[in-house]
Amino acid sequence: MAPTNRAGHLPDRVVCPYCRAGIDPARVSIVVRDARTGRVVRDVTAKMRASGPQGVEPAELGHTYLVCERAARIDVGASAPAADDGWENDDDWTTREASDTFASDTTTVAGDATVSVFAMPPASPVDDDEDEWDLDTGARAAPNPAQAVPAETEDDGERLPEPHYVPYQYCQLPDPLNIGLVGTSASGKSHLLAAMLHRLGEETQELARLGIHVQPFAEMWDRYVQREDVAGFLSPARRTVIERTPRRDPVEFRMAYVVISTWGGVQRSRVVSFFDVAGELFDDTTAQARLQFIYGLDAYLFVGDGNSLYGWDGKRHGLRNPSGFDTVLNKVNQYEFQQAQGEGRHPDIPLPKPAAIVMAKADLQLSQGERWVAKWLECDDEFNLATVDEESEDVYVYCATNGARSWLRPVVDCEDVTLHFASATGCDMQTRTRRDAKGEPLLDLNGEEIQEGYYNRNQFRHMRVLRPLLSLLAMAGVVDPNEIGHAHVRGVRRPPVRKVSG
Amino acid sequence: MTEYDMGRGTGPQQTDGFFHYSFQRVAGKHVGEYTQIHVKAVDHRASERLAEEARRTQEITNELKSRDDRAKPPRTLARYVRFREDTGGHGTPVLVLGAHGIRESGRFLETAVQEDEVTLPLSAKQVRELGINLYEALTVLHGIGYAHGEVGAQNLLWDEHNAVLARCHAAERDHSGTERGKDVAEAARLLHYVATGSPIEAGTPLSPQAQRDLEACIRGLGSVVARALAPPRERIDAADAYRWLRDLAVGHEDEPGGRAPRAEIADTAAERREREAFREIRNRHRAQRRARYPEQVAPPPPRVQPPLPGGDFLPRRSLWRVFWNEGIGAAAREVLTRFMGMRPGPRALTVFGVAGAVAVLVLLLGGTL
Ligand SMILES: Nc1nc2c(ncn2[C@@H]2O[C@H](COP(=O)(O)OP(=O)(O)OP(=O)(O)O)[C@@H](O)[C@H]2O)c(=O)[nH]1
Ligand SMILES: [Mg+2]
Ligand SMILES: [Zn+2]
């Protein structure tokens, strides 16, 4: 492999998953942050650049971040999320290798220039004289209002904080798969995600059968499961409710994994990350900058609240509230259109991204005696992915004939879609007085007893939560698309051969 | 026993306190073999009721006959054969019903249960068969505009395999359809009863627990029963229930957990339209994806990511060094890949040509240095 000047073993270009700016690995600074406070502890740029991941203690690697700030960004316009930003997407390997060589050669020849020429968008002026100041005058400034914000900004709940931090591990592998949960407030996104991630850790054997090995970002996982509410939710003894995601929650992945897939005889690794933001952001026009990440999502997990089909009287009357899906699809479609215009090509219709639509809280529909839900929710075939299309069809029919047509928009807008019934909890939430270890009720500042939501421990179960995720991974080519009977998936280049088992 | 012996050889007998029943197999002239049920009232009040029943049953039977002269009598609905007002002056009237769908071992289900001749719950297969017969009978009856009015285990003949609906003493022409709806719901409750052994309250929707119990018996049964017990406006009709029950599959009992293959319930017209719409979208998208991501036959060479830490940072070997270490061929290949963007490979001719050039170059360089 050719030597490069890539900082600390990073690919030629990293796309910030939060603001979509291209980050130049040669200019970016790398820092270690405190696990609890998130404050920057020290700058390790020099060390990382010299010796890669060995530049920090192994224990620190999970707390190492790239700083996404103006000085490190390349032209935002060049970082079309749909454009080739990974190896997988490159159609001709040989060309790719050759240009790699050339790029590195060029930089080597240029002395110890820290600019990776290859990473530059062709139209951008090359900073030959390494005049940092020039870069900041706006020659390559982001045409994006989010980046036009001067200097550092506080997190005010509307804009993306500046600068922001991208986990180093995330940047190590090319072509990440960013999955975003989309759905209006209280649709059950956070519960579904917690259940999914928990099951992902539980079912290693089944996943191995599907040809994938899933490895969480260790520190991120610890932080996630140590969150008070998530810990309570996952603890079999407690089963408390997961809190609603605050609007000002940092726009960060909730969780990320390295997924190593071995099916098809080739071993590949990809980062799979999950975004779960507050649902109200999807209904709010002032939150533009916080929603910037949706343009960079590679796959969507649309979450609809099955319960919203029912009124207070318990009768089914169809959806009355917006699903939140439209906001995202409109924006992403428009972005795709503009990108295409800019690049002089036809826009990709439907969007070149897979989506899974999940009817969350299906346990409630089950208890309403919905036969469509009953048919699937209680089946014991979570890993029998061959029936995914059949289920999708039924969910589609159910939504279309029961007044939930607005949940079906992604079916038309995204190039590949599956639909699912799932329940993260298996039962409805109840409330009780929160008590301390001695059983005394806890009081709030006004002296009133604090209530907490919880689930009946005996009825609590995760129902079919992994299926949507596995289907999505299959549609994204992480799991063999053949498992769900789909073909022609981005990045999967061989005619898939069915595994012969047994 | 002799009091309702009518001088002909009678089969097995049963009584429910109001009526005595005896069953016998007969061969009809035009209709083949069937089972006759002789119903005999035990007292005066029962006699009146029996006369009423005879009148209504005859009306229905005639109605069925008038629809189609040559049609066979329904298999699952008992038909009128004859009614004898009075036997021997002081006797009580006897109504003879004909049941084509059961053998002579048939009994009224409720009485059989009371007398411990049958234990509930029935097996999944029996439940399914019973449900199909029951709804078939209702489909026939409802089809001519009548409602039965008293669907229940006490009025159902059953021979361990098949069931026949009998006793139309409450049957009426039903113009609005509400009575027929009630029949459908009553039949669903009866199904729950035979499938679980416990009755459910009338007029309530199916509880989730009850539905799950039914699903445990036959996958899909819960949904059918739930829809048959739905509020009147959403309730399915007997023909739908009949069709859906027929589509249910009973799992092999020797299968672990007795898991049945998933039952398909037929779509309504609207549902079928949506299903087709979905398939159409999916096919279109698949075609679009095919154009976008044509699958390549040859797998790409596995791309090895930075193999060893530090490996990237070794300075590239000079041409000179390659030549010394690996000889002229390797050096030629190196030239090709480095400067011409060609993939190293056994393109002998080119390699040979370049090798020559390299040799000259090296000689020249070596000479000048
Ligand atoms: N019955 C039932 N309730 C659920 C389920 N999942 C979530 N809920 C309830 O739905 C409510 C909202 O759940 P969240 O997961 O916080 O919803 P969210 O989409 O993350 O909401 P925001 O963070 O505000 O966007 C909670 O009160 C849960 O009790 C489920 O599977 N079944
Ligand atoms: Mg949330
Ligand atoms: Zn950024």
Side-chain angles (χ1 to χ4, degrees):
Chain A
M1 164 92 37
T4 65
N5 258 353
R6 303 187 317 212
H9 295 232
L10 295 171
D12 292 329
R13 198 180 69 192
V14 176
V15 175
C16 171
Y18 306 132
C19 70
R20 303 309 304 149
I23 300 176
D24 184 352
R27 280 185 286 155
V28 74
S29 35
I30 305 175
V31 297
V32 173
R33 290 166 79 201
D34 185 277
R36 261 179 307 118
T37 61
R39 228 174 273 134
V40 173
V41 187
R42 61 201 176 91
D43 188 306
V44 289
T45 316
K47 275 190 184 166
M48 295 291 275
R49 220 165 258 166
S51 38
Q54 273 78 26
V56 291
E57 299 286 319
E60 271 180 339
L61 199 60
H63 304 296
T64 308
Y65 294 82
L66 268 61
V67 186
C68 179
E69 54 194 342
R70 292 192 65 196
R73 289 186 196 137
I74 318 169
D75 190 346
V76 146
S79 63
D84 298 3
D85 50 7
W87 323 92
E88 290 290 290
N89 215 16
D90 240 331
D91 257 327
D92 192 2
W93 293 84
T94 49
T95 327
R96 170 68 193 222
E97 237 157 52
S99 31
D100 234 2
T101 317
F102 275 120
S104 39
D105 272 357
T106 322
T107 42
T108 318
V109 170
D112 58 358
T114 46
V115 179
S116 166
V117 176
F118 180 66
M120 287 295 175
S124 312
V126 176
D127 186 17
D128 273 332
D129 55 4
E130 298 171 68
D131 188 348
E132 288 283 337
W133 188 82
D134 189 42
L135 289 176
D136 280 348
T137 53
R140 263 179 267 156
N144 187 315
Q147 272 100 54
V149 177
E152 306 206 342
T153 58
E154 282 295 307
D155 188 358
D156 61 359
E158 309 302 338
R159 282 166 296 180
L160 202 60
E162 191 76 10
H164 41 260
Y165 302 91
V166 188
Y168 176 80
Q169 281 171 293
Y170 172 86
C171 306
Q172 270 181 307
L173 292 171
D175 197 21
L177 180 73
N178 297 317
I179 299 177
L181 285 101
V182 179
T184 186
S185 353
S187 53
K189 299 181 293 297
S190 304
H191 279 75
L192 181 68
L193 183 67
M196 249 177 204
L197 300 186
H198 172 70
R199 295 273 297 140
L200 212 49
E202 243 180 20
E203 293 289 349
T204 43
Q205 186 57 31
E206 289 290 346
L207 296 175
R209 211 164 288 153
L210 288 172
I212 57 172
H213 174 79
V214 174
Q215 212 171 291
F217 283 23
E219 288 77 9
M220 203 183 271
W221 176 250
D222 289 346
R223 214 174 324 139
Y224 181 67
V225 292
Q226 279 163 18
R227 255 174 57 178
E228 167 73 17
D229 55 343
V230 175
F233 178 71
L234 294 178
S235 148
R238 291 178 55 206
R239 297 300 183 201
T240 50
V241 74
I242 293 186
E243 252 127 63
R244 299 283 298 284
T245 317
R247 180 197 177 96
R248 306 179 52 148
D249 230 30
V251 176
E252 282 178 4
F253 343 110
R254 269 300 154 264
M255 200 40 221
Y257 292 81
V258 174
V259 178
I260 302 165
S261 57
T262 50
W263 52 271
V266 190
Q267 182 167 329
R268 279 150 299 194
S269 313
R270 267 176 97 175
V271 171
V272 174
S273 69
F274 295 90
F275 281 93
D276 170 30
V277 299
E280 58 187 291
L281 291 180
F282 294 120
D283 305 329
D284 188 346
T285 46
T286 59
Q288 298 294 347
R290 300 217 127 207
L291 275 188
Q292 193 80 13
F293 75 93
I294 63 171
Y295 302 110
L297 294 177
D298 303 288
Y300 306 98
L301 208 59
F302 290 99
V303 182
D305 174 358
N307 201 29
S308 61
L309 289 173
Y310 297 89
W312 288 113
D313 51 0
K315 293 226 175 71
R316 188 173 63 212
H317 54 47
L319 279 187
R320 297 235 169 116
N321 297 318
S323 60
F325 301 178
D326 284 347
T327 328
V328 173
L329 288 170
N330 288 343
K331 285 186 176 148
V332 176
N333 271 320
Q334 174 177 305
Y335 180 72
E336 163 62 22
F337 184 80
Q338 286 166 353
Q339 287 291 309
Q341 289 285 303
E343 291 164 23
R345 60 177 170 86
H346 292 294
D348 278 331
I349 302 169
L351 284 172
K353 297 176 186 186
I357 305 174
V358 186
M359 274 258 225
K361 312 191 194 174
D363 56 294
L364 297 166
Q365 285 155 296
L366 186 68
S367 61
Q368 296 277 0
E370 298 272 9
R371 74 174 168 106
W372 294 102
V373 181
K375 175 175 168 191
W376 290 100
L377 200 61
E378 299 215 305
C379 284
D380 181 23
D381 66 347
E382 186 161 22
F383 292 96
N384 175 14
L385 297 182
T387 53
V388 162
D389 273 348
E390 202 185 321
E391 181 176 1
S392 301
E393 227 171 81
D394 281 353
V395 180
Y396 183 96
V397 172
Y398 174 78
C399 291
T401 53
N402 288 293
R405 208 171 264 286
S406 64
W407 284 342
L408 300 178
R409 169 120 188 251
V411 174
V412 181
D413 278 22
C414 297
E415 67 170 5
D416 203 0
V417 179
T418 56
L419 300 93
H420 308 263
F421 291 118
S423 164
T425 62
C427 58
D428 213 359
M429 185 186 79
Q430 292 159 289
T431 48
R432 65 183 169 206
T433 306
R434 175 172 283 173
R435 291 172 192 280
D436 62 14
K438 278 181 258 146
E440 295 295 315
L442 289 172
L443 304 181
D444 66 10
L445 292 177
N446 299 326
E448 309 227 348
E449 293 182 349
I450 301 176
Q451 298 293 310
E452 69 175 357
Y454 74 103
Y455 301 94
N456 182 325
R457 261 179 283 159
N458 300 323
Q459 292 167 1
F460 185 95
R461 54 193 168 144
H462 306 306
M463 297 164 96
R464 297 167 85 78
V465 291
L466 268 188
R467 255 168 99 87
L469 179 57
L470 293 175
S471 306
L472 199 57
L473 292 181
M475 288 185 284
V478 175
V479 167
D480 188 348
N482 235 339
E483 295 282 349
I484 59 167
H486 287 207
H488 308 294
V489 169
R490 184 187 153 225
V492 176
R493 6 171 106 240
R494 61 193 178 77
V497 184
R498 254 242 172 273
K499 282 184 306 230
V500 186
S501 54
Chain B
M1 291 287 137
T2 46
E3 71 180 69
Y4 58 92
D5 189 332
M6 292 170 298
R8 305 168 58 174
T10 55
Q13 292 157 8
Q14 206 180 17
T15 180
D16 63 6
F18 302 102
F19 303 99
H20 293 294
Y21 310 99
S22 65
F23 303 86
Q24 61 183 234
R25 198 75 180 157
V26 299
K29 251 186 252 152
H30 306 292
V31 292
E33 274 200 12
Y34 67 100
T35 304
Q36 275 191 355
I37 303 104
H38 294 245
V39 187
K40 190 171 182 182
V42 296
D43 61 12
H44 183 63
R45 281 186 55 200
S47 302
E48 277 174 15
R49 203 184 111 183
L50 194 64
E52 180 63 24
E53 180 179 344
R55 192 182 63 70
R56 297 190 189 209
T57 314
Q58 187 173 19
E59 187 182 320
I60 289 168
T61 306
N62 289 340
E63 180 73 37
L64 279 172
K65 263 192 207 153
S66 73
R67 298 265 156 151
D68 182 357
D69 241 5
R70 282 161 304 171
K72 286 196 184 139
R75 276 173 36 80
T76 51
L77 186 65
R79 74 178 167 106
Y80 174 86
V81 178
R82 66 179 167 270
F83 180 58
R84 252 181 286 155
E85 289 281 1
D86 212 318
T87 44
H90 61 280
T92 45
V94 175
L95 170 66
V96 181
L97 298 172
H100 290 256
I102 49 167
R103 285 174 273 181
E104 63 186 336
S105 61
R107 295 285 180 284
F108 281 101
L109 181 61
E110 184 58 36
T111 317
V113 171
Q114 301 298 341
E115 292 175 355
D116 283 338
E117 287 171 29
V118 171
T119 29
L120 298 182
L122 305 182
S123 78
K125 206 170 154 202
Q126 288 171 323
V127 171
R128 174 174 176 272
E129 222 31 67
L130 188 149
I132 292 173
N133 292 159
L134 181 54
Y135 278 111
E136 184 184 331
L138 287 178
T139 308
V140 171
L141 193 59
H142 293 177
I144 56 167
Y146 280 84
H148 185 278
E150 211 180 82
V151 177
Q154 73 279 15
N155 294 330
L156 196 73
L157 290 158
W158 189 65
D159 70 357
E160 315 229 315
H161 299 283
N162 294 296
V164 167
L165 183 63
R167 318 300 312 273
C168 297
H169 53 83
E172 259 179 333
R173 271 200 181 280
D174 172 38
H175 300 288
S176 62
T178 46
E179 294 305 313
R180 277 175 273 182
K182 277 185 199 157
D183 279 356
V184 171
E186 288 301 311
R189 288 180 48 219
L190 173 55
L191 272 186
H192 179 272
Y193 175 59
V194 295
T196 62
S198 54
I200 43 174
E201 214 178 302
T204 53
L206 194 63
S207 74
Q209 185 52 48
Q211 183 166 353
R212 244 168 266 152
D213 293 345
L214 289 171
E215 290 290 330
C217 172
I218 303 173
R219 173 156 296 162
L221 181 63
S223 337
V224 179
V225 170
R227 291 192 102 186
L229 286 173
R233 281 176 44 200
E234 294 162 32
R235 193 173 296 162
I236 51 175
D237 62 17
D240 272 340
Y242 167 65
R243 214 155 20 93
W244 290 354
L245 282 171
R246 278 205 351 188
D247 288 341
L248 296 187
V250 175
H252 293 294
E253 267 134 53
D254 51 12
E255 224 174 83
R259 278 229 296 138
R262 192 173 299 107
E264 279 300 335
I265 293 181
D267 284 343
T268 63
E271 287 165 354
R272 200 162 37 243
R273 256 198 321 278
E274 296 301 343
R275 195 179 289 279
E276 274 154 21
F278 181 65
R279 288 189 183 160
E280 196 186 311
I281 299 172
R282 224 169 41 187
N283 288 340
R284 197 170 61 233
H285 284 191
R286 179 183 267 257
Q288 268 152 340
R289 289 205 312 276
R290 183 181 302 134
R292 271 179 202 172
Y293 319 115
E295 271 160 5
Q296 294 171 4
V297 181
R303 168 105 191 179
V304 187
Q305 272 305 298
L308 286 170
D312 263 5
F313 287 80
L314 288 177
R316 167 176 277 223
R317 289 186 305 172
S318 69
L319 246 189
W320 189 229
R321 170 129 305 195
V322 173
F323 176 69
W324 274 136
N325 291 359
E326 294 173 34
I328 195 156
R333 258 181 226 120
E334 183 77 14
V335 168
L336 277 177
T337 38
R338 246 199 233 189
F339 299 115
M340 283 159 209
M342 278 173 101
R343 197 154 170 71
R347 265 165 292 190
L349 256 183
T350 334
V351 172
F352 187 75
V354 178
V358 170
V360 172
L361 209 77
V362 167
L363 278 179
L364 276 177
L365 282 176
T368 47
L369 287 179

